[in-house]
């Protein structure tokens, strides 16, 4: 496994990989490091005999707000490299910020509409930072395939749109959310949770499961307002605050109107705080496994 920390080295390693015969496809797995089984499952999902797997590890400063956890975000490079090597990754790209943002940079990528809802209003600039850095990774790696987790459902939607609009010839794959035995979605931020907070966090997937069951039983007769109220009520029993608990369209991510009937396939998405830690989770009913 090669490690590249600058763009020139990365380009040279990729040029060499592209000369391989039989030819290989380049697969990209973008991450911010502090790797867990969710990240490694992304690697497994794109690995294959004719695949050259590149994992990026970059804690992207432009996707963090001024009050967010950029400086304390966990950084565990040595352990990450060991795990990626064991999983058969070919190349790790772990650049410094000066590599990704040349001095004096003035360019940002903004995806409209999809970023106005759910996490958008609570994290101004976040998705612009994500779309910008992922565009840069696509430009430099030129992957045939890139994979993202459904854990970050809105991010996946934004990246799909961005790749289409900027004409990147990349196939975007998605992986189902990888969960702990009690249902909590695996996340690098789970490390922040104190034991009592971690115990409370199990109620998040339980709230999704409960609402999924309610929607199934409602058989198209449940109104969005009622679903939303139930969702909030079950979360508010454990969360210290709730940014949103939404019932939304899985494609455009728009919240359903209060009086709309909840269809069998709908996006349930939430962001809440347990202690100081902000956690997100989601599921698409009748598509994702109930957590
Ligand atoms: P991050 O390092 O948090 O930026 O995540 C890197 C990639 O891993 C993103 O595509 C995430 O959606 C994905 N990911 C993170 N956690 C999970 C999980 N529990 N299950 C599936 N994918 C995940």
């Amino acid at each position: 496994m090669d490690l590249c920390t600058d763009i020139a080295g990365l380009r040279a390693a990729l040029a060499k990989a592209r000369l391989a015969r039989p030819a290989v496809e380049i697969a990209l797995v973008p991450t911010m490091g502090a790797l867990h089984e969710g990240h490694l499952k992304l690697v497994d999902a794109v690995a294959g005999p004719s695949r050259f797997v590149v994992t990026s590890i970059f804690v992207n400063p432009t996707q963090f707000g001024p009050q967010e956890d950029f400086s304390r975000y966990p950084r565990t490079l040595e352990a990450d490299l060991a795990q990626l090597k064991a999983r058969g990754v070919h190349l790790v790209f772990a650049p410094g910020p000066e590599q990704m943002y040349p001095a004096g940079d003035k360019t940002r990528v903004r995806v409209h509409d999809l970023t106005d809802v759910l996490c958008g209003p609570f994290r101004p600039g976040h998705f612009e930072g994500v779309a910008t850095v992922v565009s840069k990774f696509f430009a430099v790696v030129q992957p045939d395939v890139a994979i993202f987790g459904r854990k970050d459902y809105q991010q996946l939607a934004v990246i799909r749109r961005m790749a289409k609009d900027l004409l990147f010839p990349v196939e975007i794959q998605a992986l189902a959310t990888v969960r702990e035995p009690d249902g909590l979605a695996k996340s690098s931020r789970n490390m922040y949770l104190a034991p009592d907070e971690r115990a409370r966090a199990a109620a998040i997937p339980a709230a999704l499961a409960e609402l999924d069951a309610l929607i199934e039983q409602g058989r198209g007769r449940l109104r969005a307002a009622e679903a939303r109220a139930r969702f909030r009520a079950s979360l508010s029993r454990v969360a210290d605050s709730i940014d949103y608990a939404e019932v939304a369209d899985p494609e455009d991510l728009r919240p359903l109107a209060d009086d709309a009937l909840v269809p069998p396939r709908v996006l349930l998405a939430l962001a809440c705080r347990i202690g100081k830690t902000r956690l997100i989770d989601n599921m698409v009913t009748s598509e994702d496994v109930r957590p």
Side-chain angles (χ1 to χ4, degrees):
M1 186 177 80
D2 276 340
L3 170 64
C4 295
T5 55
D6 60 60
I7 306 258
L10 173 68
R11 286 196 207 275
L14 288 166
K16 200 170 140 202
R18 287 198 176 89
L19 294 175
R21 290 296 173 270
V24 291
E25 281 189 327
I26 310 277
L28 175 65
V29 185
T31 81
M32 298 204 299
L35 301 183
H36 51 66
E37 193 57 26
H39 297 111
L40 300 174
K41 288 258 159 50
L42 294 172
V43 168
D44 294 346
V46 292
S50 60
R51 287 273 172 87
F52 183 88
V53 180
V54 181
T55 301
S56 60
I57 298 180
F58 181 58
V59 185
N60 174 34
T62 65
Q63 71 186 67
F64 288 80
Q67 311 300 331
E68 293 184 0
D69 57 344
F70 174 69
S71 54
R72 70 181 188 117
Y73 195 83
R75 287 160 172 89
T76 59
L77 185 62
E78 289 309 313
D80 293 350
L81 294 176
Q83 295 189 82
L84 294 173
K85 190 171 177 190
R87 243 34 191 229
V89 166
H90 300 91
L91 176 64
V92 175
F93 179 48
E98 74 296 341
Q99 292 290 313
M100 298 309 293
Y101 296 97
D105 87 289
K106 298 284 181 205
T107 308
R108 292 291 180 272
V109 175
R110 179 155 169 224
V111 177
H112 292 266
D113 297 349
L114 289 172
T115 59
D116 292 344
V117 291
L118 305 179
C119 283
F122 296 95
R123 301 191 71 187
H126 168 70
F127 289 112
E128 191 172 294
V130 169
T132 300
V133 81
V134 174
S135 311
K136 287 169 183 259
F137 285 135
F138 285 179
V140 69
V141 176
Q142 298 183 255
D144 299 288
V145 179
I147 188 162
F148 298 85
R150 283 170 68 100
K151 151 94 189 341
D152 300 273
Y153 190 92
Q154 188 173 15
Q155 167 173 286
L156 173 65
V158 167
I159 289 167
R160 279 194 196 284
R161 189 69 248 176
M162 177 278 289
K164 205 175 262 181
D165 291 349
L166 296 184
L167 312 175
F168 284 112
V170 57
E171 180 197 332
I172 307 290
Q173 284 189 16
L175 183 83
T177 301
V178 178
R179 298 179 179 280
E180 301 286 356
D182 66 359
L184 180 66
K186 286 188 185 266
S187 165
S188 307
R189 289 190 169 96
N190 292 351
M191 297 185 194
Y192 298 151
L193 298 169
D196 64 305
E197 294 172 340
R198 173 62 189 81
R200 272 195 283 149
I204 295 173
L208 285 172
E210 200 181 305
L211 184 54
D212 181 35
L214 193 73
I215 290 169
E216 192 177 86
Q217 288 152 19
R219 293 173 197 280
R221 288 189 301 272
L222 182 68
R223 302 267 170 200
E226 163 88 9
R228 210 172 267 134
R230 297 273 207 121
F231 197 12
R232 258 189 178 270
S234 49
L235 275 178
S236 62
R237 286 198 284 275
V238 293
D240 293 297
S241 66
I242 299 173
D243 279 359
Y244 63 86
E246 266 308 344
V247 180
D249 182 278
E251 267 65 52
D252 68 15
L253 315 185
R254 296 259 144 213
L256 263 54
D258 276 346
D259 61 350
L261 292 168
V262 179
R265 180 176 174 272
V266 73
L267 171 65
L268 312 179
L270 67 97
C272 69
R273 237 167 267 273
I274 305 254
K276 288 198 173 82
T277 305
R278 186 177 187 274
L279 298 173
I280 59 170
D281 203 346
N282 74 82
M283 74 173 290
V284 176
T285 59
S286 75
E287 188 171 299
D288 289 325
V289 177
R290 185 177 294 167

